[in-house]
Amino acid sequence: LIGRGYDNKYLEIFEIFYRTGSLVFGGGVVIVPMLQNEVVPKWMTEDQFFQGLGLAQSLPGPFFNFASFLGGTYAGLPGAIVANLGLMGP
């Protein structure tokens, strides 16, 4: 949808996390490179990405926390909520 001219950051967040969430089978680590390609450098620096990943790995439910971190860094609390909904969608 984003490639078709829609300019809505919440739709962009949802689309990215829905696509990556559909690939999580057996562990979320498989989506790290995919997410990195989507959000670095557009939403954050590579250092911020890996700092957030390290922090999320130290908490229960690491990839839902990481989704919140990425969405929240880009678009605040609404972005964090949309990222989680997208990741849980599939």
Side-chain angles (χ1 to χ4, degrees):
L1 292 173
I2 300 305
R4 296 183 184 171
Y6 293 98
D7 189 24
N8 183 324
K9 67 180 172 183
Y10 299 111
L11 183 59
E12 176 185 12
I13 293 169
F14 186 84
E15 179 188 18
I16 289 169
F17 284 94
Y18 190 87
R19 273 189 292 116
T20 56
S22 67
L23 299 175
V24 179
F25 293 103
V29 177
V30 297
I31 65 171
V32 171
M34 190 174 184
L35 285 173
Q36 184 180 7
N37 288 336
E38 295 284 351
V39 304
V40 175
K42 185 177 179 184
W43 296 2
M44 64 189 59
T45 67
E46 191 170 315
D47 285 342
Q48 289 172 315
F49 180 85
F50 285 113
Q51 287 169 0
L53 179 61
L55 177 63
Q57 289 291 320
S58 69
L59 301 168
F63 283 96
F64 292 104
N65 290 323
F66 192 46
S68 295
F69 170 78
L70 295 175
T73 300
Y74 182 53
L77 181 60
I81 294 168
V82 170
N84 259 307
L85 291 174
L87 189 64
M88 289 187 283

